[in-house]
Amino acid sequence: FNLTKKGGSGLSRETWEIVQESGIKNVEIQLALQCAPLIAGLKISNLFQISIEDYIQVLKILKNSRIMIYPLGVKGNTIALLLYRKRSLEGYLDQEKVKELLKEFGYSCTSIKEILVTFRKHYQEYLQKKCPFPHEIGFLLGYPPEDVEGFIRNNGQKFLCVGEWKVYENSKAKQKLFQKYDYTRENLIQLLSCGIRMDQIVSIMGA
């Protein structure tokens, strides 16, 4: 998740200033920046990268939530986690289009557990520089199947617009969705700035 001095990724200057004051490495701020749509129920999963020493704090924040945590791999001092809602992700992966594409990209398994194990193997091979980045991660992140397929088939080129992901179909509707994501980040960061803890926010939102 990249930010710039102008605010970055749709954040207002006021919210960017809150981020600066709170500290960009603050775990709760990072959860808001990287995973607000998931916490608010707008997404079914998110990739979350955090320092290894902060991993325990993430576990504590989410321990009473419905959000599952699946470690993918470690690079340097950073651990990559897949945060997801199990039922929602299972429903997404059970779509015929998604199953067809996963099979085409080498996934003979169908259960979420097997898919995660296979993907983690691919991801760790990527970290070890044994293979290219596994772009099928888009399926685990719940991206629209047509956009994941479009990205892979076009090598990340010829897209209509860019937001949380590169869009290949129905760009207007997805741009509106990206705006909702940004609005959610704004709200969560504002709540944190008012002294509400992230575990409380997670509980309030029923995550």
Side-chain angles (χ1 to χ4, degrees):
F1 190 95
N2 295 318
L3 294 170
T4 68
K5 291 183 179 179
K6 293 182 179 179
S9 195
L11 294 180
S12 67
R13 184 170 294 277
E14 177 186 357
T15 302
W16 169 240
E17 289 173 355
I18 292 173
V19 170
Q20 290 284 72
E21 291 172 6
S22 300
I24 193 68
K25 293 184 179 180
N26 180 294
V27 175
E28 294 187 326
I29 289 291
Q30 279 300 316
L31 272 168
L33 289 173
Q34 297 186 48
C35 303
L38 169 67
I39 293 168
L42 295 176
K43 285 188 83 233
I44 61 178
S45 56
N46 258 113
L47 183 65
F48 184 54
Q49 301 194 60
I50 196 72
S51 64
I52 294 173
E53 57 263 30
D54 291 328
Y55 178 42
I56 298 301
Q57 188 177 348
V58 176
L59 293 176
K60 289 179 179 178
I61 291 172
L62 298 177
K63 69 177 181 179
N64 294 319
S65 75
R66 298 176 185 176
I67 297 174
M68 310 291 289
I69 302 175
Y70 190 81
L72 294 174
V74 174
K75 184 175 183 180
N77 189 45
T78 301
I79 184 169
L81 308 170
L82 180 71
L83 306 186
Y84 66 98
R85 298 172 184 271
K86 186 178 180 182
R87 284 189 179 181
S88 298
L89 185 55
E90 283 178 333
Y92 170 88
L93 294 173
D94 196 45
Q95 295 179 72
E96 285 304 316
K97 179 65 173 178
V98 174
K99 288 193 290 188
E100 288 173 9
L101 290 169
L102 279 172
K103 186 176 181 180
E104 183 178 339
F105 297 132
Y107 285 74
S108 58
C109 46
T110 57
S111 74
I112 187 172
K113 182 178 180 180
E114 292 174 311
I115 291 171
L116 286 173
V117 169
T118 300
F119 176 78
R120 179 162 61 184
K121 179 176 179 291
H122 293 173
Y123 187 78
Q124 291 181 350
E125 288 174 348
Y126 157 74
L127 292 179
Q128 296 164 12
K129 299 182 178 180
K130 294 181 179 179
C131 69
F133 184 84
H135 290 296
E136 68 269 20
I137 191 174
F139 295 117
L140 292 177
L141 296 177
Y143 294 168
E146 67 273 14
D147 293 332
V148 183
E149 181 182 21
F151 181 92
I152 293 174
R153 299 203 190 289
N154 292 284
N155 295 313
Q157 303 300 314
K158 301 181 181 179
F159 50 88
L160 300 177
C161 67
V162 181
E164 297 286 309
W165 59 84
K166 289 184 176 180
V167 173
Y168 288 83
E169 292 184 24
N170 201 8
S171 61
K172 288 186 178 179
K174 289 166 186 174
Q175 284 176 319
K176 289 181 179 179
L177 183 60
F178 297 154
Q179 289 174 357
K180 288 183 180 179
Y181 290 171
D182 287 333
Y183 180 72
T184 303
R185 290 190 185 94
E186 295 267 354
N187 281 346
L188 263 62
I189 291 170
Q190 292 287 344
L191 288 172
L192 290 172
S193 73
C194 291
I196 302 175
R197 301 191 314 272
M198 181 56 80
D199 62 330
Q200 294 174 314
I201 294 173
V202 169
S203 177
I204 291 169
M205 294 192 167

